[in-house]
Amino acid sequence: MKQPSLARLIIVMLTVACGAAAILGWVYTITREPIKQTQDNKELQAIAEVVYGGFDNNPFEERTYINTPDGKLQLMLYPARRNGTISAVAIKTSTNKGFGGRMDLIVGFFLDGTISGYKVINANETPGLGSKVDEPRFKEQFSGIRPQKNLFKVKQDGGEIDAVTAATISSRAVIDAIQKAYDAYNKFSTGN
């Protein structure tokens, strides 16, 4: 029996690879918009959860980018309006300091910079440990805090926040992300 030539094997493999790439590209094209819509809905739900008192506008239509004070990052700011007046803002922020790497949050602020709440929208933290940073027992510590006036660190670092047991890294990551959002909001709101 005659062995197929190397050229013929290469042609067959290239044909299969190109076909697979075309199918993947087609699937991506079909699923891109529904995935984006699902992510937008998840963020809008998180905004509704962290903005005290709700809103009667669509924050997505009025979203804007704000810079962190060091100018290295741009965060998304969503204004929440009631009766035409901005009553609070939500900011999409992130950190790479989580135990599982990147963590994305939506943080709500009253206009004076006081935290109204936050919601983790994406994280790879350890289930049952680091994932507890999105549970009420940990989150409630942040409501009503202005990071500039409080010792905004976990108690192990000399601050006022009780870290999640066995998840200090995840707890620090939440604080880091919220601090970025606060600093960017403070810079934006004061016009500096």
Side-chain angles (χ1 to χ4, degrees), residues 101-114:
R102 184 179 172 99
M103 186 184 291
D104 297 310
L105 287 79
I106 300 283
V107 183
F109 292 100
F110 294 106
L111 295 181
D112 68 355
T114 302

Side-chain angles (χ1 to χ4, degrees), residues 20-127:
I23 290 170
L24 284 173
W26 176 72
V27 168
Y28 172 75
T29 302
I30 289 173
T31 60
R32 177 181 49 208
E33 193 56 38
I35 289 171
K36 183 183 179 322
Q37 187 63 43
T38 299
Q39 183 64 32
D40 287 352
N41 288 340
K42 185 177 181 181
E43 289 181 18
L44 192 57
Q45 185 177 13
I47 293 166
E49 199 172 308
V50 303
V51 173
Y52 181 78
F55 47 88
D56 56 18
N57 67 320
N58 182 347
F60 270 81
E61 292 175 358
E62 298 181 52
R63 63 187 168 198
T64 187
Y65 285 101
I66 60 174
N67 294 317
T68 55
D70 61 10
K72 292 182 180 180
L73 294 173
Q74 284 192 319
L75 306 179
M76 186 68 69
L77 180 138
Y78 302 94
R81 293 181 186 273
R82 278 187 298 211
N83 301 320
T85 303
I86 296 176
S87 58
V89 297
I91 298 175
K92 183 178 179 183
T93 183
S94 66
T95 183
N96 291 321
K97 295 182 178 181
F99 186 76
R102 184 179 172 99
M103 186 184 291
D104 297 310
L105 287 79
I106 300 283
V107 183
F109 292 100
F110 294 106
L111 295 181
D112 68 355
T114 302
I115 299 169
S116 61
Y118 77 86
K119 174 78 175 155
V120 176
I121 57 171
N122 182 40
N124 295 313
E125 302 305 284
T126 308

